[in-house]
Amino acid sequence: MSITRRHLVAAGALALGGLGLLRSSSVVAESAEEAAVAQAVEALRKATFGQEKSQLEKLCAEQLSYGHSDGRVENKVQFINGVMTRKAILKSLTLSDHTIAVVDTNAIARHKWASESETDGKPTSTKIGVLQVWHKQGGTWKLLARQAVRPPQPT
């Protein structure tokens, strides 16, 4: 069997992927597609924080299924309306512990969400885990599904 460039690229990708698992960085973006998904995740964070309706509409697929940690599930219109009419004043929103895996035209993104907000003068701190499913539509990554979970409580 002769070794082609394709074999070398595949071997290199596997080697780099293995190194990526060993790294302790917060964002693992080995490929151009993973980097593009990471940018979409960050754009969604900024649009959610800043209540940027047009950006939210661009980032979300029409078929969006958006699950909250309290069990509520919203479609695209409900999700965007909820962001735009929220009563809480969002003071901060950070995402950490990112992982991204691209599979063909789909991507799985996981991270931890931490936010500080205030409603009627009462401060609230939220810490949840988030799973996002992104789908590449027309050359653009769109959020197709999202589910948040509360962290396990210590026993």
Side-chain angles (χ1 to χ4, degrees), residues 2 8 13 15 19 22 35 40 47 57 60 65 77 87 91 99 126 144 151:
S2 63
L8 292 173
L19 286 174
L22 297 174
E57 289 172 343
C60 296
S65 176
V77 171
K87 293 179 183 175
K91 305 268 186 181
T99 62
T126 303
L144 182 61

Side-chain angles (χ1 to χ4, degrees), residues 83-152:
V83 171
M84 300 310 297
T85 62
R86 68 178 174 234
K87 293 179 183 175
I89 299 168
L90 201 54
K91 305 268 186 181
S92 68
L93 172 57
T94 58
L95 308 180
S96 63
D97 298 336
H98 299 272
T99 62
I100 296 171
V102 175
V103 181
D104 298 322
T105 58
N106 300 302
I108 300 164
R110 289 184 178 269
H111 55 262
K112 291 180 182 168
W113 161 304
S115 64
E116 301 292 329
S117 60
E118 185 178 300
T119 306
D120 298 326
K122 291 183 178 179
T124 303
S125 178
T126 303
K127 293 183 179 172
I128 55 177
V130 176
L131 165 70
Q132 296 176 335
V133 178
W134 293 81
H135 181 69
K136 197 164 192 181
Q137 296 178 352
T140 304
W141 288 101
K142 304 257 184 186
L143 182 64
L144 182 61
R146 183 255 200 195
Q147 184 60 56
V149 296
R150 294 181 182 156

Side-chain angles (χ1 to χ4, degrees), residues 2-21:
S2 63
I3 297 177
T4 66
R5 280 192 220 173
R6 181 178 288 164
H7 292 114
L8 292 173
V9 169
L14 285 172
L16 287 174
L19 286 174
L21 291 173

Side-chain angles (χ1 to χ4, degrees), residues 53 56-57 60 75-85:
K53 185 176 182 178
L56 290 168
E57 289 172 343
C60 296
N75 63 27
K76 179 179 179 176
V77 171
Q78 292 166 325
F79 161 64
I80 294 173
N81 185 53
V83 171
M84 300 310 297
T85 62

